[in-house]
Amino acid sequence: MDVVTVAFYDTKPYDREYFSRAAEQAGAELHFHEFRLAASNASSAAGARVVCVFVNDRLDRECLQVLADGGVKLIALRCAGFNNVDLAAAKELGLGVVRVPAYSPHAVAEHAVALLMTLNRKIHRAFNRVRELNFSLGGLVGFDLHGRTVGIVGTGKIGRAAAQIFRGFGCDVCAYDPYPSEEWASDFGVRYVTLDELLGASEVVSLHLPLTPETFHLIGPESIARMKPGAYLVNTSRGKLVDSAAVIAALKSGQLGGVALDVYEEEEGVFFEDHSGAALQDDVLSRLLTFPNVLITSHQAFLTEEALSAIAGITLDSISRFARGEEAVKERTLA
Ligand code: NAI
């Protein structure tokens, strides 16, 4: 089998560690770039037959054209979401596109719950207080999750894992999905309802659906107005599902009681990087960071040992199948 050359973009030390470990077996030669892939720098892939990208690389038509002209044949996404790739253009240009449809749904679901628990029980505030020898409890009142209604929007792999955790806490879990899994719901005591019913009934709304043109700003002024006053919103899916300006207005009015985000609509170029020495240029993100009842992590829900191993293993398996001229695994194939 020929050694296949793979150009990696937006890589961090943990990508290099987990992929290098698995690469030899896959017969792949890996070239790691730290910068994000875009049309302006896509010529850097010349000589590679495969490019491996992450959530914030921008594979628009122009970028894909440069890749195809340079001899690239396969785009391997080392993530589940694929809203950053122009699939129609990839198809036209004869580029294959594969992704990792599932690595560890538990990693993301557990992070969603961790964010909610931290926010609700004010752990983020207590941590800082105690380190300053302030042992007072003022302002740290949370609520029992037991008995509360949690609304899960999107019951795919991650939404189901999250729903099951909340059932374990003794929550009443309702869910909305245009393609409901009735058998799963009845096995775990989850009720499917309409999106409007979910928004009106839930004390916590957690988003686990993909970003598509239809789901862009699913949570905006109108849907927030339909939520229970003081409800908590958790988004570990994609930033553009949520209208950040509407969230800020709702936090100011108290319509939202707390917001936990692992993703942000303008995260590209900000998340995954250390900006601690410079002024933050994004005024919306800056404002969000001023609220005591907002908790933001930098798209880290996937970052567990299990998920990183699975991502590297599945991606390199797809690449070596491609190198051997085999068909890609169907559920991993986008184009
Ligand atoms: P999945 O494909 O298994 O499930 C998605 C579910 O959303 C499906 O059941 C689908 O029917 C449903 N859905 C589609 N449109 C909907 C709508 N308008 N309203 C409600 N439900 C709708 O995907 P999975 O693996 O559960 O991932 C969910 C999302 O989590 C991904 O799309 C991705 O954006 C995000 N994600 C975030 C990560 C992170 O590190 N923060 C890591 C991995 C995924």
Side-chain angles (χ1 to χ4, degrees), residues 87-320:
L87 291 179
K91 222 172 238 174
E92 275 171 41
L93 292 164
L95 290 166
V97 183
V98 290
R99 64 169 177 148
V100 185
Y103 35 93
S104 170
H106 309 291
V108 184
E110 288 173 17
H111 191 75
V113 178
L115 285 176
L116 175 68
M117 295 296 283
T118 306
L119 190 61
N120 168 30
R121 302 306 300 267
K122 330 285 187 230
I123 307 292
H124 55 308
R125 303 184 66 192
F127 175 81
N128 286 326
R129 266 191 210 184
V130 168
R131 286 170 74 92
E132 292 192 358
L133 307 185
N134 174 356
F135 298 96
S136 68
L137 298 182
L140 300 185
V141 179
F143 56 82
D144 284 14
L145 265 177
H146 183 93
R148 298 276 172 163
T149 302
V150 176
I152 301 287
V153 186
T155 55
K157 293 170 287 294
I158 297 170
R160 271 180 281 181
Q164 288 167 217
I165 298 172
F166 285 118
R167 287 295 291 145
F169 278 120
C171 298
D172 173 24
V173 177
C174 62
Y176 169 70
D177 193 307
Y179 303 97
S181 320
E182 298 289 356
E183 199 182 320
W184 163 80
S186 106
D187 284 352
F188 288 94
V190 173
R191 311 174 276 127
Y192 276 109
V193 294
T194 65
L195 183 59
D196 268 357
E197 284 166 344
L198 181 150
L199 295 173
S202 303
E203 275 122 350
V204 175
V205 173
S206 193
L207 305 181
H208 300 287
L209 70 163
L211 175 66
T212 62
E214 295 73 44
T215 61
F216 175 80
H217 283 188
L218 179 87
I219 301 297
E222 286 163 23
S223 43
I224 293 174
R226 291 201 291 274
M227 288 169 76
K228 262 193 154 172
Y232 278 45
L233 174 69
V234 182
N235 185 12
T236 55
S237 280
R238 283 293 179 269
K240 287 186 168 65
L241 293 170
V242 173
D243 176 345
S244 309
V247 162
I248 290 171
L251 284 160
K252 284 163 81 174
S253 71
Q255 171 64 8
L256 282 174
V259 175
L261 305 174
D262 185 51
V263 286
Y264 167 63
E265 54 180 328
E266 301 301 335
E267 69 182 49
E268 192 186 322
V270 180
F271 279 19
F272 307 125
E273 308 298 337
D274 180 0
H275 294 278
S276 57
L280 187 55
Q281 299 299 317
D282 183 327
D283 292 348
V284 174
L285 181 57
S286 302
R287 182 67 180 101
L288 280 171
L289 289 168
T290 64
F291 292 99
N293 52 346
V294 169
L295 185 59
I296 300 179
T297 51
S298 173
H299 208 135
Q300 75 173 75
F302 72 99
L303 203 65
T304 66
E305 292 167 11
E306 290 79 0
L308 288 171
S309 299
I311 290 169
I314 293 167
T315 304
L316 288 169
D317 178 65
S318 295
I319 291 170
S320 49

